[in-house]
Amino acid sequence: RGAPADFMIHVPVDKALQRQNADVEIFSAYHNEQIAVIRNLERIPVFAGLDAFTRSRIGVEIGTLADEYMLGALGGRFRNGVAHFRTIAESVDALRRGEVDAVLGSRSQIEAAMSGSSPQFELTPFTGVGLSVHDWDLGLAIKSGEPALATALTEAMRALESEGALKQIFRNHGTTWFPPRRSAAAQ
């Protein structure tokens, strides 16, 4: 949609995405994002899989992988229990108010929104049956044809990682840094 930006961060490092965007170079994976579920322990004491979702109201951000999954998984079995929100933060606010029993979405967004919450909530990685992607590497992107910029940015990200600064940046925002899988697409 329009001209690519000069520099982007938090871009999925994905070969298919790269092929669809020839004007952009995606590189330098620095974090592994995951799908996670945070639940109210009083309403869902044990999360032993998808059965918990059949009796629960689950908050999701509209237009996300979590949203698509909850609407279509197992023939739409969970569709009636899905509550849609504009953002993960709004979903988490609804969880705190007791309007939903759990929130499904990207771990970093959930952690950032839950920062400082009570122990009545528990965050768990999510690997639902039929979920096409459970986690993905995030990296950088620039306009194609700027190899010197790509090299400089890659070196800067590696320095941030080796010095522990990357981990601290995530911690400062109430999130957990996970090293990337460093797949071939990430390099």
Side-chain angles (χ1 to χ4, degrees), residues 12 52 74 81 121 160 162:
L74 302 177
F121 302 107
L160 287 172
S162 68

Side-chain angles (χ1 to χ4, degrees), residues 38-42 92 95-98 100-101 114 117-123:
I38 188 157
R39 67 188 195 285
N40 182 321
L41 292 172
E42 292 173 4
V92 167
L95 178 66
R96 283 191 184 112
R97 290 189 305 268
V100 296
D101 304 319
M114 287 300 293
S117 289
S118 76
Q120 79 184 60
F121 302 107
E122 184 172 276
L123 183 67

Side-chain angles (χ1 to χ4, degrees), residues 35-137:
I35 295 289
V37 61
I38 188 157
R39 67 188 195 285
N40 182 321
L41 292 172
E42 292 173 4
R43 295 189 180 173
I44 307 175
V46 176
F47 185 71
L50 295 174
D51 277 349
F53 288 172
T54 60
R55 302 173 302 280
S56 304
R57 190 139 171 86
I58 310 301
V60 296
E61 179 179 358
I62 295 172
T64 62
L65 177 64
D67 180 26
E68 290 178 25
Y69 179 77
M70 291 304 296
L71 292 177
L74 302 177
R77 185 175 176 190
F78 313 111
R79 183 175 296 139
N80 293 335
V82 175
H84 290 97
F85 298 90
R86 288 183 312 142
T87 66
I88 288 289
E90 288 179 7
S91 298
V92 167
D93 287 343
L95 178 66
R96 283 191 184 112
R97 290 189 305 268
E99 296 169 13
V100 296
D101 304 319
V103 171
L104 183 67
S106 73
R107 181 182 184 116
S108 293
Q109 289 179 301
I110 292 171
E111 285 181 332
M114 287 300 293
S115 190
S117 289
S118 76
Q120 79 184 60
F121 302 107
E122 184 172 276
L123 183 67
T124 308
F126 184 77
T127 55
V129 175
L131 182 62
S132 60
V133 177
H134 301 109
D135 71 313
W136 57 94
D137 286 344

